Amino acid sequence: MEQQQHIVNAEWHKQHHNRVAEFHKNHASKIEHGENGSGLLAKWERFVYNKGKALLKAIK
């Protein structure tokens, strides 16, 4: 019984992680295209994302 519950939980976690990964991929795409909003937090998010992306590009 306990092993079967572990399998059910493991499958739920796998599906959850796939949903989270898909969300982050879509969100990053929206940030790149400037579609994440027009508020102050959205502007900061785009700024940090773009600076981080430029920094990683410069390091490579």
Side-chain angles (χ1 to χ4, degrees):
M1 177 77 172
E2 193 172 308
Q3 185 178 11
Q4 187 175 7
Q5 184 64 31
H6 174 74
I7 293 170
V8 170
N9 284 341
E11 182 61 29
W12 181 87
H13 272 108
K14 182 179 174 184
Q15 292 171 356
H16 172 73
H17 289 298
N18 287 338
R19 288 190 304 269
V20 169
E22 186 66 26
F23 168 79
H24 284 286
K25 185 173 78 173
N26 291 337
H27 190 67
S29 176
K30 286 182 179 181
I31 292 171
E32 281 194 35
H33 295 106
E35 300 170 353
N36 64 323
S38 60
L40 184 60
L41 187 58
K43 290 177 184 177
W44 285 349
E45 187 176 36
R46 280 192 302 273
F47 175 79
V48 170
Y49 179 85
N50 290 327
K51 291 296 181 184
K53 188 175 175 183
L55 178 64
L56 288 175
K57 194 174 187 179
I59 292 173
K60 289 182 181 180

